[in-house]
Amino acid sequence: MEILPPPPGMGGLVWADLDEETLATLDSVSNPQDKILILNDAMGVRHYQDNPKSTIMVDFCFYNIMFCDENSFSIPKKSAFFSVMKQVFEHAFEAEASSSSAAVLPVNREESLEYFKAKILAHSVNAPEIGRSAVFDLPEIKLMIAFVAKTFYRNFSAYRVCFTTRQPVESAIRYLAIETPMLPNPLDFADPFDG
């Protein structure tokens, strides 16, 4: 059986988005808000508080890291899973949202699931001749599939609405009239017998 080279983007994702130092820093911090700040820096997000889309994306990645922690994934496995899920998310929503033309068709849940399976498979098979090495084993794959099914794919439609629905822009000009109260007389002019 001939092994074909991986499709574009199917190379190893260990250390693609989070390096070993960043993951070690995340492991050393126990406060969730501090972990989110570290993820903001690692992902280049500068407007977490102000932009709901950024908040959703960073929180999505944060909960993927928490899943890895709860299941005692090693640091390389955590990095690979983080990158796989980030790419699955971007594949499903980012290209469509950034396109201004109507030619880009939305990725449906089934297509996204196939993309996810391909990414996981690429990191579950040892094939050094094509640059693949197994990062995940079968019990971890089962855990990841169950987690992704009950979190990401259960909420897929909600993510779609958040990331692909264009909000109408309303411009409004409003004139405000502000009445300024008169200044009181200085105390020098006060009548001590006013009462």
Side-chain angles (χ1 to χ4, degrees):
M1 179 176 154
E2 181 184 357
I3 298 177
L4 301 173
M10 287 296 189
L13 292 177
V14 177
W15 317 129
D17 293 300
L18 294 179
D19 59 16
E20 196 168 358
E21 182 182 331
T22 303
L23 285 166
T25 305
L26 280 168
D27 284 345
S28 69
V29 174
S30 61
N31 184 352
Q33 279 103 7
D34 293 340
K35 287 186 180 206
I36 287 174
L37 289 174
I38 294 167
L39 276 176
N40 282 333
D41 288 340
M43 295 172 67
V45 174
R46 302 285 178 249
H47 41 78
Y48 175 82
Q49 297 294 338
D50 304 328
N51 186 336
K53 288 182 180 181
S54 295
T55 303
I56 292 168
M57 180 63 175
V58 172
D59 287 353
F60 171 78
C61 292
F62 170 73
Y63 287 113
N64 290 331
I65 293 288
M66 296 307 297
F67 162 77
C68 293
D69 290 342
E70 290 169 2
N71 292 288
S72 304
F73 279 23
S74 66
I75 288 182
K77 289 179 183 190
K78 204 181 292 189
S79 174
F81 183 68
F82 178 91
S83 295
V84 164
M85 291 310 299
K86 186 171 180 270
Q87 285 191 7
V88 167
F89 194 95
E90 290 169 349
H91 171 261
F93 309 119
E94 295 294 320
E96 181 183 339
S98 64
S99 174
S100 60
S101 71
V104 177
L105 295 174
V107 174
N108 64 32
R109 189 183 322 249
E110 290 75 26
E111 292 168 337
S112 178
L113 182 59
E114 289 303 315
Y115 186 81
F116 168 72
K117 287 178 184 177
K119 289 289 184 182
I120 293 298
L121 179 63
H123 291 82
S124 304
V125 176
N126 265 332
E129 61 276 4
I130 60 170
R132 288 186 182 171
S133 62
V135 177
F136 305 115
D137 58 21
L138 187 58
E140 292 164 340
I141 293 169
K142 288 180 179 179
L143 284 171
M144 289 184 290
I145 289 172
F147 171 75
V148 171
K150 73 179 180 184
T151 57
F152 180 63
Y153 288 111
R154 181 175 288 170
N155 298 301
F156 192 83
S157 297
Y159 285 123
R160 172 166 309 291
V161 169
C162 292
F163 280 84
T164 60
T165 304
R166 296 200 183 268
Q167 297 296 321
V169 177
E170 286 185 27
S171 294
I173 299 174
R174 299 187 183 189
Y175 298 99
L176 299 175
I178 301 174
E179 291 186 27
T180 307
M182 293 180 48
L183 294 174
N185 290 331
L187 291 178
D188 294 348
F189 299 110
D191 187 7
F193 301 109
D194 258 351

